Structure formats: structure tokens, C-alpha cells
């Protein structure tokens, strides 16, 4: 894991550990978070490429059960695009 993915993993664990018992509105489930991570310049040199890579990694995180950190891999785009085709 990269330092950035470790930082996001720490954020994810902190969100999961939030004590929601004192909130006015009762939350029935534990809060969770999923993150998709893409990096410059490894995953793209244009902002749009990096955002698309992070989005694809986030999609993989949610498909894999949510509450996860996923680092962009080229295969993630294929997974996201295939799911988009199926839902169209």
C-alpha cells in the first residue's frame, strides 16, 4: 500500500469508528466510507484522467462490498464500463 492509500484507510477506519449514539437523529447503521485513489502522473497527466481513474477505483470499492479503499488499476475501467453497459 502507498502512503496515500494508508492515509485513506486510516480515514475510513475513523469514519467507521464514529460514535453516533449522541446524535439527535438516530443512525441505525454504522457509518462507512469507500475511497477510490488515482495518482499523478502514474494514472494520468490530465485532471480528467485522474478523476476518471479515481472514479473507476471507487466503483470497484463499492462493487467489492463497500467500506474499502481501492487504488486505481487499469482493469478498474473495464469493470466500471462493463457494469455501465449492463445497466443501460
Amino acid at each position: 500500500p502507498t502512503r496515500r492509500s494508508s492515509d485513506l484507510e486510516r480515514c475510513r477506519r475513523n469514519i467507521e469508528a464514529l460514535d453516533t449514539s449522541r446524535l439527535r437523529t438516530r443512525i441505525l447503521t454504522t457509518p462507512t466510507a469507500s475511497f477510490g485513489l488515482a495518482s499523478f502522473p502514474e494514472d494520468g497527466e490530465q485532471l480528467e484522467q485522474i478523476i476518471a481513474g479515481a472514479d473507476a477505483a471507487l466503483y470497484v470499492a463499492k462493487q467489492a462490498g463497500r467500506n474499502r479503499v481501492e487504488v486505481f488499476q487499469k482493469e478498474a475501467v473495464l469493470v466500471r464500463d462493463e457494469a455501465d453497459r449492463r445497466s443501460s
Side-chain angles (χ1 to χ4, degrees), residues 33-76:
S34 296
F35 294 95
L37 175 65
S39 300
F40 172 85
E42 299 85 2
D43 301 321
E45 297 203 7
Q46 302 296 318
L47 179 61
E48 294 80 13
Q49 294 171 314
I50 297 167
I51 291 172
D55 181 61
L58 177 60
Y59 186 86
V60 169
K62 290 184 174 188
Q63 288 295 107
R66 302 179 183 237
N67 198 28
R68 318 168 48 92
V69 174
E70 288 290 334
V71 176
F72 175 73
Q73 296 177 23
K74 301 243 186 274
E75 297 80 28

Side-chain angles (χ1 to χ4, degrees), residues 12-46:
R12 187 201 62 75
R13 284 193 313 267
N14 287 339
I15 290 168
E16 189 175 36
L18 287 172
D19 179 8
T20 60
S21 65
R22 291 182 275 184
L23 295 175
R24 285 185 182 169
T25 304
R26 285 284 172 170
I27 296 176
L28 300 177
T29 61
T30 301
T32 62
S34 296
F35 294 95
L37 175 65
S39 300
F40 172 85
E42 299 85 2
D43 301 321
E45 297 203 7
Q46 302 296 318

